[in-house]
Amino acid sequence: MNKVELQRPADSSPISVARNWLGTYDQVALATVVSTWGSAPVPVGGHLVVAPDGRFEGSVSGGCIEMDVISKAEDIMHDGQSKLLEFGIADEAAWRAGLPCGGTIKILVEMLSKADAPYLESILEARRARRPHVAAIDLQTGRRRIFEAELAEGEIRERIETGESGIFSFDEGDAFLQVRLPTVRVVIVGATHITQVLAPLAEQIGFDAIIIDPRTAFTSIERLGHTPTLTEWPEVGLAALGLDPRTAVVAVTHAAHLDDDALAAALRSDCLYIGALGSRKTHAKRLERLRAAGFSDADLERIHAPIGLAIGAKGPAEIALSILAEIVQVARRAEA
């Protein structure tokens, strides 16, 4: 079956905003966090885009030094020269803005013109197609390049595998490598009360959420809002979406035959995470059925069940929170 394209909310990321603003303005400034140390509130790769009229979107420090960066961005749009800014606990601007809690941030501010629109388009297209890639910026010359995962070699390939962005030294000089992996996609099988909380919560932290449930009574817009939904049998819906290493599959239908169908499809893929709702007793019976279907113990160890982090969750909202926290933990490769 061919993959399906579900209509999603408009992309409001700084890269998308920068591309859109270049349709209105001759130039914009893009600020990117390229290095952090200590308690920097925005990770490497965070963006802030600034328009000539002073409008801005995104963040590079959670509010600590935004106004100073915006001021520098306006200067850079005037003279056209990129600058590498550094703020730390010894800087007056950082102290005035609230960074004395500790930390150092390096921020690259670039001027983008209409000629840079294809560069931004290539990033957005790779994101839509869920293709891992690296954007490389030469810190001496300002040259920008995009490396697709399948063609990357050496240091670029290693960065994609680790997911680590940062400043790296090459024979020709230093460059900032920004690894862009596909957005974590949370496919929730079962339009239950847990799903009503889990889907919007996943979207609020920047994940994509998709719901699959063949039971039309469960999938009304009144219950699920505008989260993309497939009214399909789980195996059919998952095959249509296509599962990749940045997809989490969550089975919460409260119906054994539907959950089993979803888990079997997920286990045949290399998806990021597989979780199933149910008690230990329920899960033990589930494992028996999946073994009978031909799955090995090694396969079945991939299933997180009982689902979610053990935070003593009670009720749909807290269970949804525990599930999302576990997905974040797996996606970040954090210690359990």
Side-chain angles (χ1 to χ4, degrees):
M1 177 181 292
N2 294 329
K3 294 182 182 180
V4 297
E5 291 292 335
L6 297 176
Q7 185 167 356
R8 307 207 60 83
D11 186 353
S12 59
S13 68
I15 292 293
S16 182
V17 170
R19 174 63 189 94
N20 291 337
W21 282 355
L22 283 177
T24 302
Y25 305 104
D26 290 333
Q27 60 188 16
V28 298
L30 182 67
T32 305
V33 179
V34 298
S35 177
T36 65
W37 176 86
S39 56
V42 174
V44 171
H47 291 300
L48 172 74
V49 58
V50 183
D53 62 5
R55 286 193 295 163
F56 65 92
E57 292 288 343
S59 177
V60 289
S61 74
C64 293
I65 56 174
E66 256 67 10
M67 296 316 298
D68 293 277
V69 173
I70 290 169
S71 177
K72 294 291 186 183
E74 291 171 347
D75 294 340
I76 286 165
M77 280 187 282
H78 183 264
D79 62 31
Q81 297 296 314
S82 299
K83 290 184 180 178
L84 186 61
L85 310 177
E86 183 171 345
F87 298 91
I89 55 176
D91 291 306
E92 181 182 349
W95 180 269
R96 183 177 66 250
L99 204 60
C101 54
T104 299
I105 306 174
K106 289 184 179 180
I107 299 170
L108 176 66
V109 187
E110 308 170 85
M111 192 275 284
L112 301 177
S113 69
K114 291 184 181 294
D116 296 305
Y119 167 76
L120 298 177
E121 285 285 3
S122 64
I123 293 173
L124 295 171
E125 173 54 31
R127 178 186 296 167
R128 288 189 289 266
R130 298 184 62 78
R131 295 196 307 268
H133 63 282
V134 171
I137 303 171
D138 188 308
L139 296 181
Q140 285 71 46
T141 67
R143 182 189 182 196
R144 307 181 188 98
R145 298 177 64 189
I146 300 292
F147 295 89
E148 297 284 355
E150 61 270 20
L151 302 177
E153 298 178 351
E155 185 76 33
I156 304 294
R157 165 64 66 180
E158 184 178 342
R159 291 307 109 215
I160 291 175
E161 292 175 352
T162 64
E164 180 186 1
S165 299
I167 298 174
F168 298 92
S169 295
F170 298 89
D171 292 340
E172 57 272 28
D174 291 344
F176 173 62
L177 304 183
Q178 182 163 10
V179 180
R180 289 189 172 93
L181 300 175
T183 302
V184 172
R185 179 175 56 177
V186 183
V187 182
I188 310 165
V189 181
T192 61
H193 287 85
I194 292 172
T195 301
Q196 288 178 290
V197 180
L198 178 57
L201 189 59
E203 291 170 344
Q204 285 179 32
I205 70 167
F207 292 172
D208 290 338
I210 299 170
I211 300 167
I212 298 176
D213 199 318
R215 302 169 295 187
T216 56
F218 285 72
T219 56
S220 67
I221 193 170
E222 290 78 16
R223 296 189 71 251
L224 304 178
H226 294 283
T227 300
T229 303
L230 290 177
T231 309
E232 297 281 1
W233 195 263
E235 186 173 16
V236 174
L238 292 171
L241 290 173
L243 302 183
D244 60 35
R246 297 283 287 173
T247 299
V249 176
V250 176
V252 290
T253 68
H254 294 287
H257 62 296
L258 292 177
D259 284 345
D260 286 2
D261 194 63
L263 295 173
L267 288 169
R268 295 187 189 103
S269 77
D270 59 352
C271 64
L272 172 71
Y273 170 95
I274 305 171
L277 186 68
S279 66
R280 287 179 172 81
K281 182 177 180 181
T282 296
H283 187 56
K285 293 180 179 178
R286 175 189 295 135
L287 294 180
E288 290 178 7
R289 296 192 298 271
L290 290 171
R291 285 192 189 95
F295 292 102
S296 68
D297 287 344
D299 294 329
L300 300 178
E301 286 176 1
R302 296 177 60 197
I303 303 174
H304 293 258
I307 197 170
L309 293 185
I311 60 173
K314 300 292 184 182
E318 292 184 4
I319 293 171
L321 176 64
S322 74
I323 293 170
L324 188 57
E326 189 169 58
I327 294 171
V328 171
Q329 183 184 64
V330 172
R332 297 292 186 190
R333 302 177 184 176
E335 294 291 334

